[in-house]
Structure formats: C-alpha cells, structure tokens
Amino acid sequence: MTITFRGSTAVVTGASSGIGVVVAARLAARGADLLLVARREDRLTELAQRLRDDHGVRTTVVAADLATPDGVTAVVEAARATGSPVGTLVNNAGFGTYGDLVTEDPDRLGTEIDLNVRALTTLTRVLLPDLLAHGSGAVVNVASTAAFQPVPRMAVYGATKAYVLSLTEALSVELRGSGVHAITLCPGPTRTEFFDVVGTEDAAVGRFETPDQVADTLFRALDRRRPPATVVSGRANAAAAALAGMLPRRIVLAVSARLTSGRPRGAVSVSP
Ligand SMILES: NC(=O)c1ccc[n+]([C@@H]2O[C@H](COP(=O)([O-])OP(=O)(O)OC[C@H]3O[C@@H](n4cnc5c(N)ncnc54)[C@H](OP(=O)(O)O)[C@@H]3O)[C@@H](O)[C@H]2O)c1
C-alpha cells in the first residue's frame, strides 16, 4: 500500500532553503500538514503562508538550531502539539565543510556532526513511536552521494553521510511490516545554498540537479508499493554509487581523491 499523507503531520527540517522547501511543498500538495524547521524564521513563515494558501493544509513553524539539544527538543514538543499525528519525518537539514581535516575549525566540525548526525538520530528515535502509532508514513533521511566513498577534503561531511546511509538502511529492515518506511535520499550536486555554505564547488562531482529533480526521485520512491531503503538522485550518480559498492576500497578511495582534489598535493597550510 502506498503512503497516505493527508490527515497527518510531516516534519521537514531544513525547510528554509533548497531541497527542504521543495519536499515540503510536495508533501503539502499531497495534503500533509507541515511542521517546518530551520533557523531562519522569516523564510519559514513565508513558506508556511504559501503552503496554507495553495493547499489548505495546516502549517507550524519552528525556528530552531538543530545543532543544539534545545533545538531538537523544541521540534519534538511542537510536533506533538500540532493536533494531527506525526506521519512523516524528513531529516533534511545539513551542511558541509571543505578543507584538509587538519586545517578545519574543530568547533565547526562538531556543529556539523551535531546537525548531520546527532539531531537526525535523536529526531528519528524520539519521533519514531509517534510514526509507528500512526501506522503509515516514512522517515526520509537525506544523505548524499558522498555517503558511498570517503571524500578527501570533505572527510567529516562524507563520514556523516555514510553514517546516515548506514543508520537508515538498518532502520528500514527494523521497520518492515510496520507501515512506516525508512528511506535514505542521496542527492548528488544540487543547485541550492549548500555550496554557498561550503564556500567552494571544488568538491562537487558530476552534473548539478535541481531540487525539483531530487524531489522527483524521492516521491517516485515513496510511491512504490515497497519503497526502497535507498534512492540516489540522477542516473549517473546512481551508477557511480553502485560501482563504489562493487570495487575494492583502495580503488574507490583513489578515484575519490582524484575527483575531489581542488588544488595540487602538498599545498596544505595549517593554522592552529
Ligand atoms: N546541494 C547539494 O549539492 C547536496 C548534495 C547532497 C546532499 N545534500 C544534502 O541535502 C540536504 C539539504 O541541503 P540543501 O542542498 O537543500 O542545502 P541548503 O539550501 O543550504 O539548505 C540547508 C537547510 O538546512 C538548514 N540548516 C542548516 N543548519 C541548520 C541548523 N543548525 N539548524 C536547523 N536547520 C539548519 C538551513 O536553514 P537555516 O540556515 O535557516 O537554519 C536550510 O534550510 C543537506 O542534508 C545536504 O547535506 C545536498
């Protein structure tokens, strides 16, 4: 049976920009009430108004920093206060950092792990009983094509996304027969604000997609009678991800190193 979104709330993190905006709009078009989360409240409020006007759904905005435990708690409390059951959780908020590990700001790396890993895990764990009680829905965790191989100069980002992939695939098995599906969405390079935050496109490998193309991939998967545990957006990205799973790791690492090197080797400059 395909998932019914009408009559339940979809929690979408990272809904102020990029992929999150489009996924939230698609869910509203299917009748889901929305709980929109990010730090930039003005953007969330504007989106909430538009989705209410266009689709007649109920919307709630939570301006929260998900890299903090208080931010995560605020989302859980707001989700339970919406008045309709939580049926869908889209853990989409995330960001990346670029540079040799030794040059990166340790606090920023900590925030990256807190957002990409800790918030996603805690929201999934804490809201899962609500989804299971509702009995039909999905946990969509946004990973990346960076999840399929180590990514030199985006080592922490790649590692966080490998975590998301592993966690979500394991969860998809645990949820079999429950009516709730766990799906890992793996976009490749996508035209959003992501690379503005990263500060460079040096690590973007492959052709850019639009957020709409990524959302198409997700909803094609969600509409299947048995949604897959993982979907990669873009045919070439999917082929590369499949290949990475078949080749010896040392080959995969060598190819990744070549594709992501934005500057000559040996040009590392270290600041304390
Ligand atoms: N774009 C790509 O090439 C690409 C490729 C693969 C995977 N992805 C993944 O796709 C997801 C969405 O990214 P995007 O491409 O749509 O990038 P984006 O346009 O930069 O959107 C990122 C979203 O995350 C939110 N966010 C960032 N830090 C946050 C925090 N501390 N607390 C709460 N929300 C926070 C941002 O909102 P605020 O700034 O308002 O908080 C924004 O809504 C991410 O997980 C990313 O890793 C992107």
Side-chain angles (χ1 to χ4, degrees), residues 136-171:
S136 168
V139 177
V140 176
N141 286 338
V142 181
S144 165
T145 48
F148 296 97
Q149 65 287 302
V151 188
R153 284 172 279 279
M154 289 190 85
V156 170
Y157 180 71
T160 65
K161 295 304 184 177
Y163 171 95
V164 173
L165 175 64
S166 177
L167 175 88
T168 313
E169 288 193 334
L171 182 63

Side-chain angles (χ1 to χ4, degrees), residues 102-103 267-272:
V102 72
T103 66
V268 183
S269 69
V270 182
S271 56

Side-chain angles (χ1 to χ4, degrees), residues 112-122 159-161 163-164:
E112 188 176 0
I113 295 166
D114 284 342
L115 180 64
N116 296 7
V117 171
R118 187 191 288 271
L120 174 143
T121 307
T122 305
T160 65
K161 295 304 184 177
Y163 171 95
V164 173

Side-chain angles (χ1 to χ4, degrees), residues 14 16-17 19 39-40 65-66 92 143 157 161 188 190 192-193:
S16 64
S17 165
I19 296 167
R39 292 165 302 178
R40 287 170 289 182
D65 182 350
L66 288 174
N92 163 74
Y157 180 71
K161 295 304 184 177
T190 310
T192 65
E193 294 174 14

Side-chain angles (χ1 to χ4, degrees), residues 143-151 158 161-162 165 169 184-187 230-233 237-238 240-245 249 252 256:
S144 165
T145 48
F148 296 97
Q149 65 287 302
V151 188
K161 295 304 184 177
L165 175 64
E169 288 193 334
T184 327
L185 173 64
C186 300
T230 299
V231 278
V232 179
S233 197
N237 293 330
L243 201 58
R249 284 190 76 78
V252 171
S256 180

